[in-house]
């Protein structure tokens, strides 16, 4: 059974190219198949090209007058998803799409609630969603800007919005037979998606709701640490259909050629190959093809080694961040929050580098296949990072 992961993320502006690449790379690494993004801050007629090598299908709802609000839905290239229809809010608050996912029709709703007038907006949005869905199963995700159950979804146990707003919202959910997938799986757990530094409080403001009819997909759900935005990425995974993914092909990751261990091993492998095949009667063409196969094996070995080391470092930092956030959610300690900021900065530098290297590769292809050594690459990378928004990293990290 193929699992489809739907993620909801308040990105707090997506206009800056560097930040956009970081977030899309992070969504890909988190295996998000369909991304529901809020607060993109795109203005109608000035929407940047968001397509990259991971997320190739985009639908936007933009503000007609300013770079504010805005929601966008992105679909990963790896899933067989066909966009059939869409409906967008005139005030850049919601976006509905009808898709065929593994030949199953589903409505994906992406919402960003206002800070005030939530009850009026909820009535308008749910009325439009009911008409658009026309009885089809729904996945509704987004930032609703208030805790649904204040006693468990807010660290203070209180909400700044009237209790009637939450009651009205839950009535709308019941009318469409929608359930909070994370809360069903974690009925008594206190966890949050947003931290207010001004009030020193946590809230769960981001939710994913699914139709009752989708509960047979054996859903799972999670809340990731706060990293690239002021909100957490949340996700729900549904077992929708069978996998039909085709086999890919191998490409050289040229970053590994900056690794001294890899370079030394390749040189040694070539020298050994020449020595062994001195008296080989086969043609030079066959020997060259044989050497390429041998080198490919060695390069794959080193790429796997470096990827594993990088992944373990990121995994370790993420685990540390999760523990620190859980401690801070309980204690609201200033010391714990300072450690969280430092850990996030370290993680962000690693993600920044990955995004910058991706842009660098794209730039080299665009310029006609520039061949550069490690020093030149780092020089271009530094210049590019400044141009794309001032990414901060040290030379050791860049290497």
């Amino acid at each position: 059974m193929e699992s489809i992961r739907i993620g909801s993320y308040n990105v707090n502006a997506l206009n800056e190219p560097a930040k956009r690449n970081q977030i899309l790379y992070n969504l890909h690494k988190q295996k998000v198949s369909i991304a529901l993004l809020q607060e993109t801050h795109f203005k109608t007629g000035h929407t940047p090209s968001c397509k990259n090598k991971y997320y190739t299908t985009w639908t936007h709802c933009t503000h007609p007058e300013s770079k504010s609000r805005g929601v966008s839905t992105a679909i990963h290239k790896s899933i067989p998803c066909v966009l059939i229809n869409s409906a967008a809010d005139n005030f850049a608050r919601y976006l509905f799409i009808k898709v065929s996912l593994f030949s199953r029709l589903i409505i994906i709703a992406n919402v960003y609630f206002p800070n005030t007038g939530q009850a009026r907006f909820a009535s308008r949005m749910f009325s439009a969603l009911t008409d658009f869905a026309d009885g089809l199963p729904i996945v509704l995700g987004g930032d609703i800007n208030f805790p649904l159950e204040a006693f468990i979804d807010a660290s203070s146990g209180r909400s700044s919005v009237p209790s009637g707003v939450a009651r009205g919202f839950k009535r709308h959910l019941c009318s469409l037979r929608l359930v909070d997938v994370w809360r069903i799986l974690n009925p008594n757990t206190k966890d949050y998606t947003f931290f207010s530094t001004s009030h020193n409080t946590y809230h769960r403001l981001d939710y994913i709701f699914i139709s009752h009819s989708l509960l047979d997909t054996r859903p799972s759900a999670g809340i990731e640490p706060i990293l690239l935005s002021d909100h957490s990425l949340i996700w729900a995974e549904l077992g929708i259909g069978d996998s039909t993914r085709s086999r890919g092909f191998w490409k050289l990751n040229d970053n590994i050629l900056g690794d001294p261990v890899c370079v030394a091993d390749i040189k040694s492998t070539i020298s050994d190959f020449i020595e062994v095949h001195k008296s080989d009667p086969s043609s030079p063409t066959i020997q060259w093809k044989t050497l390429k196969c041998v080198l490919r094996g060695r390069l794959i070995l080193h790429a796997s080694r470096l990827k594993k080391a990088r992944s373990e470092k990121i995994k370790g930092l993420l685990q540390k961040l999760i523990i620190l956030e859980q401690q801070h959610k309980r204690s609201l300690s200033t010391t714990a929050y300072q450690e969280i900021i430092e850990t996030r900065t370290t993680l962000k530098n690693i993600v920044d580098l990955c995004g910058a290297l991706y842009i660098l590769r794209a730039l080299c292809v665009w310029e006609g296949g520039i061949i550069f050594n490690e020093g030149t690459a780092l020089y271009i990378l530094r210049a590019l990072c400044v141009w794309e928004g001032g990414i901060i990293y040290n030379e050791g990290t860049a290497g």
Side-chain angles (χ1 to χ4, degrees):
M1 182 66 71
E2 179 80 357
S3 292
I4 300 299
R5 180 170 288 193
I6 299 171
S8 177
Y9 202 5
N10 182 320
V11 294
N12 192 22
L14 208 60
N15 285 291
E16 184 185 328
K19 182 179 180 181
R20 190 163 60 245
N21 281 317
Q22 294 161 15
I23 285 176
L24 294 179
Y25 178 78
N26 185 50
L27 288 169
H28 169 72
K29 297 303 288 185
Q30 293 288 347
K31 300 180 180 178
V32 173
S33 307
I34 300 176
L36 313 180
L37 309 177
Q38 302 88 41
E39 273 204 276
T40 52
H41 292 184
F42 296 154
K43 184 180 177 181
T44 304
H46 297 83
T47 304
S49 175
C50 297
K51 292 181 181 180
N52 70 348
K53 66 177 182 179
Y54 306 123
Y55 296 93
T56 53
T57 304
W58 285 78
T59 310
H60 302 284
C61 176
T62 57
H63 197 284
E65 298 177 356
S66 64
K67 290 185 176 181
S68 61
R69 307 175 195 172
V71 289
S72 297
T73 301
I75 301 173
H76 201 282
K77 66 176 183 179
S78 65
I79 62 169
C81 184
V82 179
L83 179 63
I84 298 172
N85 194 12
S86 66
D89 178 37
N90 293 330
F91 302 97
R93 289 288 184 184
Y94 64 73
L95 174 64
F96 309 147
I97 61 172
K98 181 192 292 185
V99 297
S100 174
L101 199 55
F102 291 100
S103 302
R104 183 171 182 173
L105 292 177
I106 294 179
I107 302 299
I108 308 291
N110 184 1
V111 300
Y112 173 52
F113 269 59
N115 290 318
T116 58
Q118 294 98 332
R120 290 191 303 274
F121 174 77
S123 296
R124 180 168 65 86
M125 186 274 293
F126 277 108
S127 175
L129 179 58
T130 302
D131 293 340
F132 184 81
D134 195 24
L136 291 174
I138 298 170
V139 177
L140 168 63
D143 176 4
I144 67 172
N145 255 319
F146 63 90
L148 198 55
E149 302 281 359
F151 74 94
I152 195 171
D153 289 336
S155 60
S156 62
R158 301 184 303 274
S159 174
S160 60
V161 302
S163 57
V165 173
R167 286 198 302 270
F169 188 90
K170 285 184 275 190
R171 282 196 295 270
H172 289 301
L173 292 177
C174 288
S175 68
L176 284 174
R177 296 179 61 78
L178 296 173
V179 294
D180 178 358
V181 61
W182 186 87
R183 181 55 69 197
I184 282 180
L185 298 169
N186 304 274
N188 302 310
T189 303
K190 288 188 176 184
D191 205 352
Y192 314 103
T193 64
F194 175 77
F195 176 66
S196 171
T197 52
S198 57
H199 297 96
N200 200 33
T201 55
Y202 279 96
H203 295 88
R204 189 162 78 101
L205 305 180
D206 305 85
Y207 296 82
I208 294 178
F209 306 97
I210 65 172
S211 294
H212 277 230
S213 59
L214 293 175
L215 292 175
D216 64 353
T217 62
R218 298 182 180 181
S220 58
I223 298 174
E224 298 299 324
I226 298 172
L227 181 57
L228 298 174
S229 178
D230 54 353
H231 285 247
S232 293
L233 164 68
I234 64 169
W235 54 266
E237 199 165 273
L238 310 174
I240 296 292
D242 297 326
S243 175
T244 56
R245 191 175 302 171
S246 60
R247 185 179 178 183
F249 57 92
W250 179 78
K251 291 186 294 185
L252 170 64
N253 177 6
D254 51 14
N255 291 324
I256 67 174
L257 299 180
D259 177 50
V261 176
C262 175
V263 172
D265 183 48
I266 294 301
K267 288 180 178 179
S268 175
T269 300
I270 293 172
S271 298
D272 293 344
F273 185 90
I274 293 172
E275 184 66 29
V276 169
H277 291 81
K278 269 183 178 179
S279 56
D280 191 339
S282 58
S283 69
T285 302
I286 293 176
Q287 290 188 33
W288 169 234
K289 289 184 177 180
T290 304
L291 175 59
K292 285 197 291 184
C293 290
V294 173
L295 291 178
R296 175 184 170 183
R298 301 306 299 173
L299 289 166
I300 290 174
L301 177 69
H302 288 289
S304 298
R305 172 180 61 83
L306 293 170
K307 183 179 180 181
K308 183 179 179 182
R310 185 173 62 252
S311 297
E312 286 180 351
K313 184 176 181 180
I314 292 174
K315 184 178 178 181
L317 287 168
L318 281 172
Q319 289 296 328
K320 181 182 178 182
L321 185 57
I322 290 170
I323 293 170
L324 287 172
E325 283 193 350
Q326 292 299 327
Q327 290 174 351
H328 187 246
K329 287 169 184 176
R330 290 191 298 268
S331 66
L332 298 177
S333 162
T334 305
T335 305
Y337 187 66
Q338 186 58 41
E339 285 190 70
I340 287 172
I341 296 299
E342 292 173 1
T343 307
R344 281 180 189 161
T345 301
T346 305
L347 260 172
K348 189 174 182 297
N349 287 341
I350 297 173
V351 177
D352 283 346
L353 179 63
C354 293
L357 287 173
Y358 171 72
I359 299 171
L360 182 58
R361 287 195 200 99
L363 179 66
C364 291
V365 172
W366 174 62
E367 290 290 353
I370 298 171
I371 299 173
F372 54 84
N373 58 29
E374 187 179 354
T376 308
L378 287 174
Y379 173 77
I380 298 172
L381 184 58
R382 288 192 190 98
L384 185 65
C385 288
V386 172
W387 173 59
E388 289 288 0
I391 296 170
I392 300 171
Y393 62 93
N394 57 38
E395 211 166 304
T397 306

